[in-house]
Amino acid sequence: MKKITLDYSQSLHLIDQKELDFLQEKVSQCHELLHSKTGEGHQCLGWLDWPEQYDQEEFLKIQEAAEKIRKQSEVFIVVGIGGSYLGARAAIEMLNMLACTCKHEEQTGAPAIYFAGHNMSSIYLKNLYNNIEGKDVSINVISKSGTTTETAIVFRLLKEYMEKRYGRKEAGKRIFVTTNKCKGALKTLAGRQGYETFGIPENIGGRYSALTAVGLLPMAVAGIDIEQVMAGGQAACRDLSDDSLERNPAYQYATIRNLLYVKGKTIEVLAYYEPNLFYFGEWYKQLFGESEGKDGKGIFPASLNFTTDLHAMGQYIQEGRKDIFETTLNIEESEDKIIIKRAEDDSDGLNYLQGKTLDYINKKAMEGVMRAHCDGGVPNLMLCIPRISPYYVGSLIYFFEKACAMSGYLLGVNPFNQPGVEAYKRNMFHILGKPGYESL
């Protein structure tokens, strides 16, 4: 199988290959901290070897549960926030499975998939109720602690809905829980109610959990071949185990990001030319934002859908503040061949494109944008993904996880904690009058 590769030639006007080579020793030190599990946050490094050491017995349970859900459900609701849903949604939408599951169940064999628990909007939830009315429903609630506010509130409401509609016993057969393997509010509730439960390993944090049951159960329900997802993750795990900058594109990416950062490029735009990568961009933002944004440091992660967003943000990127660099996701092969045909009158002036595929034109737009932005002082990195498939979904997820861990260590932060996230929660709990938060 072809591998994911990195082309950083469009950044060499700002960084020197010698600068990259000079950092090899530091990269090797950080690599040792990761793989010996002695660095900061080492308690959360379970994801590092997970693709090769995942729980085979639970994997079979996931496949069996997914098949059960597909048979009994017209609707499947994934309840979670942040890392508890973004990885699954990224994979499902990347593979265009969400569009497929919006069709009637009899046509696809899969239920329609909806996401909830990532906001507390009454409008959103009311619309969800309207969409699922009269349809058979199953739910997967995902929360390691079981007490994440947004998820817990929405799950309480959906649990009430399910029990009112099906009765407690039948509802219990339609609610699936993914949570801490050993403890927590959801684990306790699942045991009491008899919900089928899947474990989140203690040593894997939410934003690094996409290749665990957190991501795999929703993917499997959507019809994604999760064996191929894990095969891609395994291949990346092996390929990216080398500390050599010359041979490890994830480390190249992490190191170049840090070199650009110290040169004043404090904002990274993840650019993509396929709209179904939108939620991969959302997953990337959480992964890097929570991992690096601390101690007064960090690259601000943003994502844009080109060429669409060029008509909104292209002007700023081209001629605005020069604190931006771009990482472009290039899907090298497309199976969809839509060809531009000749028009008799050529009133739109497009006959010069006769015989060209839409994908070819899209690629040329990408090349033109990268050249223009680079000429305008915005360095570009290009991550080349051979094609969109379950295998490369697994590879891409692991690639970014490994790159993020290395990038955080190079930056000098713990990439596995998120102490700042608690600040807004404390204020919210105080305002709401939660016991124990009366005085702040």
Side-chain angles (χ1 to χ4, degrees):
M1 298 287 281
K2 293 175 68 177
K3 299 177 183 179
I4 293 171
T5 58
L6 180 71
D7 178 356
Y8 57 91
S9 59
Q10 297 298 311
S11 66
L12 291 175
H13 63 286
L14 195 63
I15 61 172
D16 191 284
Q17 183 66 43
K18 292 179 181 178
E19 291 180 286
L20 195 59
D21 295 340
F22 180 77
L23 285 173
Q24 177 62 71
E25 184 177 352
K26 187 173 182 182
V27 167
S28 295
Q29 291 169 354
C30 293
H31 174 85
E32 175 62 22
L33 290 175
L34 276 172
H35 283 267
S36 64
K37 299 183 180 178
T38 55
E40 278 198 283
H42 60 86
Q43 307 91 336
C44 298
L45 282 170
W47 60 271
L48 191 62
D49 304 312
W50 182 257
E52 294 196 300
Q53 299 179 2
Y54 66 92
D55 187 333
Q56 297 279 351
E57 185 177 341
E58 180 160 84
F59 189 83
L60 290 174
K61 275 183 58 185
I62 290 169
Q63 292 175 308
E64 290 167 1
E67 188 59 30
K68 176 182 175 182
I69 291 165
R70 287 164 65 88
K71 286 179 179 177
Q72 73 180 12
S73 312
E74 296 168 277
V75 168
F76 181 58
I77 304 174
V78 180
V79 185
I81 194 169
S84 293
Y85 92 105
L86 281 170
R89 187 161 194 177
I92 290 168
E93 297 215 9
M94 194 187 309
L95 293 163
N96 209 26
M97 299 304 295
L98 195 61
C100 292
T101 55
C102 287
K103 299 176 184 176
H104 193 276
E105 181 194 14
E106 291 178 2
Q107 293 177 294
T108 65
I113 297 178
Y114 296 96
F115 295 88
H118 55 289
N119 61 56
M120 295 183 287
S121 165
S122 56
I123 296 172
Y124 184 96
L125 193 60
K126 183 63 185 296
N127 286 337
L128 177 62
Y129 285 143
N130 290 338
N131 285 331
I132 67 177
E133 186 176 355
K135 298 174 182 176
D136 280 323
V137 180
S138 292
I139 291 175
N140 177 208
V141 57
I142 307 168
S143 174
K144 193 170 186 179
S145 68
T147 57
T148 305
T149 305
E150 296 90 338
T151 302
I153 288 174
V154 172
F155 177 58
R156 175 184 280 203
L157 294 170
L158 287 173
K159 177 175 174 288
E160 180 182 327
Y161 167 89
M162 294 291 283
E163 290 180 351
K164 182 177 180 180
R165 179 170 171 182
Y166 291 106
R168 181 170 290 186
K169 185 176 180 181
E170 178 61 23
K173 298 176 183 177
R174 292 176 172 271
I175 295 174
F176 299 80
V177 171
T178 307
T179 190
N180 190 297
K181 279 189 171 184
C182 305
K183 60 184 179 182
L186 259 182
K187 178 68 176 176
T188 302
L189 176 66
R192 191 165 63 242
Q193 300 285 358
Y195 302 150
E196 186 165 358
T197 307
F198 301 91
I200 306 174
E202 186 71 40
N203 59 355
I204 299 181
R207 59 187 179 274
Y208 289 85
S209 66
L211 297 180
T212 71
V214 170
L216 293 178
L217 180 57
M219 289 184 213
V221 172
I224 295 172
D225 184 345
I226 59 173
E227 291 185 2
Q228 278 297 298
V229 172
M230 294 308 293
Q234 286 170 356
C237 183
R238 294 168 191 149
D239 292 341
L240 303 176
S241 63
D242 195 323
D243 73 340
S244 166
L245 274 173
E246 183 180 356
R247 294 186 293 273
N248 190 325
Y251 286 0
Q252 291 172 10
Y253 171 56
T255 307
I256 293 168
R257 291 179 85 249
N258 278 270
L259 282 171
L260 292 171
Y261 175 68
V262 299
K263 293 176 185 288
K265 304 297 183 180
T266 58
I267 299 170
E268 178 179 20
V269 170
L270 187 77
Y272 50 91
Y273 288 74
E274 297 294 343
N276 56 341
L277 292 174
F278 175 83
Y279 269 96
F280 186 84
E282 297 299 292
W283 176 80
Y284 143 85
K285 287 192 292 189
Q286 195 224 357
L287 178 66
F288 280 90
E290 276 197 349
S291 296
E292 292 191 320
K294 57 199 69 166
D295 302 338
K297 302 176 183 179
I299 298 167
F300 184 86
S303 61
L304 292 175
N305 173 24
F306 290 164
T307 60
T308 303
D309 287 332
L310 289 173
H311 295 262
M313 298 299 294
Q315 173 63 38
Y316 185 92
I317 294 170
Q318 189 71 41
E319 296 184 351
R321 288 174 58 88
K322 298 307 175 188
D323 50 3
I324 295 171
F325 70 96
E326 286 180 325
T327 298
T328 299
L329 299 181
N330 174 26
I331 308 301
E332 294 180 304
E333 299 175 18
S334 173
E335 295 179 0
D336 299 312
K337 305 297 183 185
I338 298 174
I339 298 173
I340 306 298
K341 296 180 181 178
R342 179 180 177 81
E344 288 302 319
D345 59 2
D346 195 28
S347 58
D348 52 14
L350 294 176
N351 274 356
Y352 77 99
L353 296 173
Q354 175 187 352
K356 302 290 193 299
T357 67
L358 200 56
D359 185 61
Y360 172 86
I361 298 167
N362 201 26
K363 290 285 197 302
K364 295 308 170 186
M366 178 183 70
E367 291 173 19
V369 169
M370 290 181 67
R371 186 180 301 175
H373 289 178
C374 188
D375 290 345
V378 179
N380 267 260
L381 312 176
M382 183 165 67
L383 199 62
C384 299
I385 300 106
R387 71 184 67 86
I388 294 179
S389 70
Y391 179 91
Y392 288 110
V393 165
S395 291
L396 194 60
I397 286 171
Y398 190 86
F399 179 100
F400 272 93
E401 289 176 346
K402 192 70 178 287
C404 185
M406 173 56 69
S407 187
Y409 274 0
L410 289 172
L411 185 63
V413 300
N414 177 354
F416 309 112
N417 67 356
Q418 54 279 343
V421 173
E422 300 305 316
Y424 90 86
K425 294 181 182 179
R426 288 193 298 270
N427 287 335
M428 178 176 67
F429 294 154
H430 171 66
I431 294 166
L432 289 170
K434 183 175 180 178
Y437 290 85
E438 293 86 356
S439 59
L440 281 179

